[in-house]
Amino acid sequence: MMPSADILKDVLADLRIAASFVTIVPVASAKPAGEGAIARATWALPVAGLLVGFVGALAYGLASKLGLAPGLAALLALAATALITGALHEDGLADTADGLGGGRTRERKLEIMRDSRIGSYGVCALILSFGLRCSALAAIGNPWAVMLALVSAHAAARAGLPAFMSLVPPARPDGLSARAGSPPGRSVAIAFGLGTLILALALGPAKALVGLVLLSLAGLILARLATRQIGGQTGDILGAFEQTGEILILLVAAAFLHAGG
């Protein structure tokens, strides 16, 4: 087999792994991924984010065509993205809020984060997440601008995940993040490059820079909190990172695109 064919095969395999990792779309191979395959495939997470963003944009566009108000269209767009991801990241955000906010010891915090039940901190985090994202999309209003905001937010929010996974060690040896492994430097760089490119094309270089700065600051703060309180990151922490990034990019998009800048 030609080397170029091998490369294409690896790229397609990584795309399938990334899509199956963050969505409920049945694209993964029936054959279990080999050791390190998930970590290697993290470069494709921004591409999977594009898929999620387009689904949300389609829902928003259809709702707008039916004459629904921007607020209702925004809620339907968020519902569509939560549906295609199985609310994976929302679940992570809620568990992170409950664990970091409600536990007194490291062991108790991790125990709370593993509990499928949701507490008051988790409820408040979800209300804020949906409220901020819905308000941002409704403020943007125009379906084309909403599409740009959604695809850039979902791509950029996932583009930082490989770096976060690489720099912050797993908090426990048996969690989802630990099983995924630490992404290699090449995957980290490609994911970051793709996220930056998508963000710049969608929002423009200046706005993309603002978004990247905010994402970096949010990542540093979350990494410090997770390391101090539970000794590292978990799958729930990664979900909280994605949700935080999504919120920040949508707020940047609303601040600039709605203002016509």
Side-chain angles (χ1 to χ4, degrees):
M1 185 178 291
M2 296 294 291
S4 58
D6 289 334
I7 293 174
L8 178 60
K9 183 179 178 181
D10 288 341
V11 168
L12 292 176
D14 287 349
L15 289 171
R16 292 173 67 179
I17 290 173
S20 65
F21 192 64
V22 300
T23 74
I24 61 172
V25 179
V27 294
S29 171
K31 181 180 178 181
E35 184 178 353
I38 295 178
R40 185 195 68 231
T42 53
W43 70 264
L45 288 176
V47 182
L50 282 177
L51 170 63
V52 178
F54 276 124
V55 168
L58 178 61
Y60 187 94
L62 289 174
S64 296
K65 285 288 186 182
L66 292 174
L68 296 181
L72 290 175
L75 278 175
L76 290 174
L78 295 181
T81 59
L83 180 63
I84 194 174
T85 61
L88 174 69
H89 308 302
E90 284 84 357
D91 179 71
L93 174 66
D95 287 344
T96 296
D98 280 334
L100 299 187
R104 291 186 177 273
T105 65
R106 175 182 180 274
E107 292 71 22
R108 179 56 181 157
K109 290 176 186 292
L110 288 172
E111 181 183 350
I112 292 174
M113 291 170 74
R114 271 188 161 168
D115 194 333
S116 60
R117 293 171 296 182
I118 185 171
S120 57
Y121 284 106
V123 171
C124 290
L126 288 177
I127 290 174
L128 283 173
S129 175
F130 276 97
L132 288 171
R133 288 183 292 160
C134 181
S135 297
L137 293 175
I140 295 169
N142 180 273
W144 173 252
V146 165
M147 184 194 75
L148 293 177
L150 281 171
V151 297
S152 62
H154 281 278
R158 290 168 176 83
L161 288 175
F164 196 91
M165 294 169 67
S166 178
L167 296 174
V168 185
R172 51 192 176 211
D174 58 344
L176 173 64
S177 180
R179 292 195 301 271
S182 178
R186 183 178 180 181
S187 294
V188 172
I190 294 175
F192 180 81
L194 285 174
T196 301
L197 177 62
I198 293 168
L199 198 57
L201 290 174
L203 303 184
K207 291 90 172 181
L209 179 60
V210 175
L212 288 174
V213 170
L214 292 176
L215 280 174
S216 299
L217 289 175
L220 289 173
I221 293 172
L222 183 59
R224 181 171 176 79
L225 280 174
T227 302
R228 290 185 63 181
Q229 294 199 30
I230 59 174
Q233 45 93 1
T234 66
D236 288 329
I237 295 292
L238 297 180
F241 177 88
E242 190 281 335
Q243 284 284 281
T244 303
E246 198 180 318
I247 291 167
L248 290 173
I249 296 302
L250 288 179
L251 290 177
V252 169
F256 289 103
L257 292 179
H258 184 58

